Amino acid sequence: DVKVTQSSRYLVKRTGEKVFLECVQDMDHENMFWYRQDPGLGLRLIYFSYDVKMKEKGDIPEGYSVSREKKERFSLILESASTNQTSMYLCASSPRGLRKSGNTIYFGEGSWLTVV
Amino acid sequence: SQQGEEDPQALSIQEGENATMNCSYKTSINNLQWYRQNSGRGLVHLILIRSNEREKHSGRLRVTLDTSKKSSSLLITASRAADTASYFCATDFWGAQKLVFGQGTRLTINP
């Protein structure tokens, strides 16, 4: 079965802390994504990566960075956490060819981050 | 924004009834997908319909696509309590290597 694993389900961090959210997929997918989900705002794309060491900004990249050193792992980094980054974060992956074939994307279970 | 919009935002029906959710979008698409999210969990893919298709079925799900109106609908027939979830449409725009999600419809099936 397809598996996207997010390392932490629930985190509580203090304002100003550096936060790492880790995501691993076991499907050898080229594309990986980080979304955040907030009530009334739906899913918003933060960053995505279509290859190792490649990254592209999504709709709301401010305050975030990402790292993709290995194909299976995509990390989201909050350089200095703020309370407005309290949210649910969803990692996802898909095989290459999203543009051509409309491949499905597969989601992890989500990480609930609270910044206090 | 290219984001799709679902309608209604929330829907509550009795078990056994049919549930219809709509999605509208703004620009030409390559395909449109529907996803389901149980409370507090990740999203799960339900069905994909390509821009050259008008209707698609999968079990109790029926999806239609009207590219002239830039809209899609998801019909769940003979609803069950286990169908209670949020449902999202996602569009794949030409030239983009990503999906854009709507805000979702929260469906509640009452026993």
Side-chain angles (χ1 to χ4, degrees):
Chain A
D1 264 355
V2 161
K3 193 103 173 144
V4 178
T5 303
Q6 295 183 229
S7 58
S8 302
R9 190 85 170 100
Y10 301 97
L11 306 94
V12 179
K13 297 292 182 180
R14 294 194 182 279
T15 300
E17 273 193 76
K18 191 169 185 175
V19 181
F20 292 85
L21 298 179
E22 307 285 348
C23 176
V24 176
Q25 50 98 1
D26 64 0
M27 297 159 286
D28 201 35
H29 284 169
E30 288 79 11
N31 301 328
M32 295 190 75
F33 309 84
W34 274 106
Y35 289 88
R36 75 176 270 179
Q37 185 176 21
D38 301 285
L41 296 176
L43 275 76
R44 293 180 292 168
L45 182 64
I46 305 171
Y47 267 97
F48 67 103
S49 168
Y50 51 87
D51 205 346
V52 176
K53 297 191 187 294
M54 305 300 289
K55 61 184 179 184
E56 285 201 23
K57 293 180 180 179
D59 300 317
I60 52 164
E62 297 77 20
Y64 303 94
S65 62
V66 290
S67 173
R68 185 129 182 241
E69 295 296 317
K70 294 184 177 181
K71 189 176 185 180
E72 68 270 18
R73 188 178 297 270
F74 192 35
S75 303
L76 180 68
I77 304 155
L78 286 67
E79 296 291 341
S80 178
S82 63
T83 55
N84 63 13
Q85 292 178 309
T86 292
S87 186
M88 180 173 181
Y89 291 87
L90 289 160
C91 176
S93 72
S94 75
R96 193 184 303 284
L98 186 66
R99 184 184 311 166
K100 289 183 181 178
S101 60
N103 286 319
T104 306
I105 67 173
Y106 298 87
F107 283 86
E109 285 295 280
S111 297
W112 291 90
L113 172 65
T114 301
V115 183
V116 297
Chain B
S1 166
Q2 296 175 325
Q3 190 177 42
E5 295 182 4
E6 280 98 341
D7 171 56
Q9 290 189 347
L11 178 62
S12 180
I13 61 174
Q14 294 301 120
E15 194 167 19
E17 293 180 342
N18 295 341
T20 300
M21 290 158 272
N22 303 297
C23 170
S24 61
Y25 56 90
K26 295 179 181 177
T27 61
S28 296
I29 60 170
N30 185 33
N31 65 74
L32 186 143
Q33 305 183 37
W34 285 90
Y35 287 78
R36 167 196 168 122
Q37 183 182 35
N38 288 344
S39 180
R41 310 300 291 270
L43 280 73
V44 176
H45 178 257
L46 293 176
I47 194 165
L48 179 153
I49 185 164
R50 301 191 191 284
S51 59
N52 61 354
E53 296 176 315
R54 292 296 168 257
E55 188 171 311
K56 203 159 182 183
H57 296 257
S58 177
R60 293 184 297 112
L61 304 180
R62 174 182 167 235
V63 170
T64 61
L65 180 65
D66 186 335
T67 53
S68 66
K69 295 181 179 178
K70 293 186 171 57
S71 67
S72 173
S73 67
L74 171 67
L75 168 68
I76 303 174
T77 59
S79 64
R80 305 167 181 169
D83 294 329
T84 293
S86 291
Y87 292 82
F88 294 85
C89 69
T91 44
D92 171 16
F93 297 96
W94 285 106
Q97 186 89 315
K98 61 182 183 180
L99 290 179
V100 177
F101 286 82
Q103 295 183 14
T105 292
R106 189 170 61 255
L107 175 65
T108 303
I109 309 298
N110 302 303

